[in-house]
Amino acid sequence: KTPVVSTVRKPASKPMNYSLLISDLHLDPARPEHLAGLEALLDNHAGKADRLYVLGDLFEAWIGDDDDSPFNRQAIAAFRRFSDAGSELFFMHGNRDFLLGDQFADDCGGVLLDEGTVVDLYGTRALLMHGDSLCTEDHAYQQFRAMARDPQWQQGMLAKPLEERRALAQGMRMQSQGNNANKPENIMDVTPAEVVRVMEDAGVRHLIHGHTHRPAVHDVALKDGTGTRWVLGDWGELGWWIVADSDGLRLENWEIS
């Protein structure tokens, strides 16, 4: 479905009683403009936004909370300024940063949320997900996801030296890119029946997720009426967010430059 969005040139300050949701920044030292865009967003809205939800794939790869590279420290410092100003901060794991831990969240002044958390956005109940679990037709990826989310596998990974983890992460990224290039487009998007299932199980009319890099607003046919699926975009030349306030939800983008 064609994205239904409003476009703004840059994140603008707003009065209190609003929250922001973002995902799929894929922060990487090779793309410093995305970290600069995040810093601008956080600094502009610190102490003004009630809450910020980061719905996964904040980083292109996260190999453990003990990775204190200058790039990671810069990102953590930006989040800390935001939370220290009085705005609440929440993180959710993605398929690239499933090793984010409590130490990272604590350093930022935030909290890790479970996949499939329901929140109240000023009277709008919404189910928050990264979105990768919705792509049930991608069987190979779902097998990897089950392995990568297993606590014992993660413990073994985090026990490896940092340099070995960096090499493993780079290899996994290259393998993922190669695998995705050969997959049909339809299996890399969400499965409609799974969307209906999770929304009805959660008892919500709104689902917000990222992961697919296909920003749009979709109608969803539920048993008791029509729901809405909000898909956040990944950050490239444009940054994407959802603004939530007493007027409802809005999917917006702005130029990152």
Side-chain angles (χ1 to χ4, degrees):
K1 185 172 180 178
T2 303
V4 179
V5 303
S6 58
T7 301
V8 294
R9 287 295 175 183
K10 61 181 180 180
S13 297
K14 295 177 180 287
M16 284 295 286
N17 300 318
Y18 71 99
S19 294
L20 303 174
L21 301 97
I22 59 176
S23 74
D24 297 276
L25 284 67
H26 294 275
L27 295 179
D28 190 305
R31 297 187 292 273
E33 67 275 13
H34 292 163
L35 179 54
L38 174 64
E39 289 177 309
L41 183 157
L42 294 171
D43 290 343
N44 285 343
H45 295 276
K48 300 172 185 175
D50 292 330
R51 293 175 291 277
L52 173 68
Y53 297 91
V54 185
L55 302 185
D57 283 4
L58 170 61
F59 293 94
E60 178 67 8
W62 186 260
I63 59 174
D65 292 359
D66 57 336
D67 184 3
D68 62 347
S69 69
F71 184 84
N72 291 349
R73 291 201 304 270
Q74 186 177 345
I76 289 170
F79 281 119
R80 190 78 212 195
R81 291 194 300 272
F82 180 85
S83 59
D84 283 348
S87 298
E88 293 183 280
L89 182 59
F90 300 93
F91 299 97
M92 188 171 283
H93 293 113
N95 56 293
R96 297 284 188 174
D97 51 13
F98 49 82
L99 290 177
L100 281 178
D102 290 327
Q103 186 61 57
F104 168 82
D106 289 344
D107 289 345
C108 293
V111 176
L112 280 173
L113 295 178
D114 292 333
E115 173 88 350
T117 294
V118 176
V119 298
D120 187 330
L121 299 172
Y122 311 95
T124 299
R125 291 181 72 252
L127 175 64
L128 306 185
M129 307 182 73
H130 175 59
D132 56 330
S133 65
L134 299 170
C135 304
T136 59
E137 293 302 311
D138 191 345
H139 302 298
Y141 170 71
Q142 293 302 328
Q143 290 177 350
F144 168 79
R145 186 182 189 277
M147 178 189 72
R149 299 299 180 102
D150 179 77
Q152 190 171 5
W153 184 90
Q154 292 188 0
Q155 205 169 39
M157 178 65 74
L158 292 172
K160 299 179 186 296
L162 269 174
E163 285 305 315
E164 184 177 349
R165 277 180 268 156
R166 288 193 180 99
L168 286 169
Q170 178 64 21
M172 289 164 65
R173 280 194 296 177
M174 293 178 65
Q175 182 179 10
S176 174
Q177 290 169 358
N179 291 342
N180 288 344
N182 296 318
K183 289 179 181 176
E185 282 292 313
N186 64 305
I187 72 168
M188 295 176 65
D189 203 352
V190 301
T191 304
E194 182 68 5
V195 168
V196 171
R197 185 190 71 78
V198 298
M199 292 180 71
E200 291 185 340
D201 284 354
V204 299
R205 290 184 178 273
H206 294 269
L207 165 64
I208 302 174
H209 71 84
H211 179 64
T212 63
H213 299 185
R214 302 176 184 187
V217 182
H218 300 272
D219 290 336
V220 180
L222 303 172
K223 288 179 182 176
D224 59 350
T226 300
T228 307
R229 179 168 67 95
W230 301 80
V231 188
L232 284 156
D234 60 313
W235 286 26
E237 293 183 0
L238 297 176
W240 292 87
W241 65 11
I242 287 172
V243 182
D245 57 25
S246 58
D247 291 330
L249 306 179
R250 298 181 300 282
L251 176 63
E252 299 181 347
N253 61 46
W254 72 94
E255 293 179 2
I256 295 180
S257 60

